[in-house]
């Protein structure tokens, strides 16, 4: 399988978790006599990549100071004329 290009796709951390779970269920499916399990390799690679992305995302979230998480995005005060 050759790599043609990459795409940027936005998922939330919970969506990444769902994708990982779905891939795990697909990978754990027992299909007798189908390429000695070779069909699973692309799914296993994708799952590994998503697990790494999820870990990196959680590390970044831990780096955000507590106050920034609690207050949310910065708010603007209305301008006075």
């Amino acid at each position: 399988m050759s790599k043609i290009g990459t795409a940027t796709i936005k998922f939330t951390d919970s969506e990444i978790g769902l994708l990982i779970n779905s891939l795990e269920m697909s990978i754990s499916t027992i299909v007798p006599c189908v390429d000695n399990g070779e069909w699973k390799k692309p799914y296993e690679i994708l799952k590994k990549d998503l697990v790494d992305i999820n870990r990196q995302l959680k590390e970044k979230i831990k780096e955000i100071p507590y106050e920034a998480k609690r207050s949310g995005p910065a708010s603007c005060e209305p301008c006075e004329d």
Side-chain angles (χ1 to χ4, degrees):
M1 186 162 49
S2 65
K3 186 175 179 180
I4 296 173
T6 60
T8 301
I9 303 172
K10 295 181 181 184
F11 291 115
T12 64
D13 58 338
S14 60
E15 290 171 331
I16 294 170
L18 289 171
L19 288 168
I20 292 168
N21 186 42
S22 297
L23 286 167
E24 182 59 39
M25 287 189 290
S26 296
I27 293 166
S28 66
T29 302
I30 298 171
V31 182
C33 304
V34 179
D35 296 330
N36 294 322
E38 290 293 313
W39 66 272
K40 294 181 181 183
K41 285 190 179 182
Y43 298 95
E44 292 168 337
I45 292 168
L46 180 57
K47 180 187 166 209
K48 179 192 171 298
D49 289 346
L50 287 171
V51 167
D52 289 343
I53 290 168
N54 202 24
R55 180 187 45 77
Q56 292 171 10
L57 179 62
K58 289 180 187 212
E59 287 174 3
K60 288 289 183 186
I61 290 171
K62 286 180 184 178
E63 292 174 7
I64 299 172
Y66 175 75
E67 283 300 314
K69 288 182 195 175
R70 209 175 87 181
S71 63
S75 61
C76 297
E77 293 186 23
C79 298
E80 294 182 21
D81 292 327

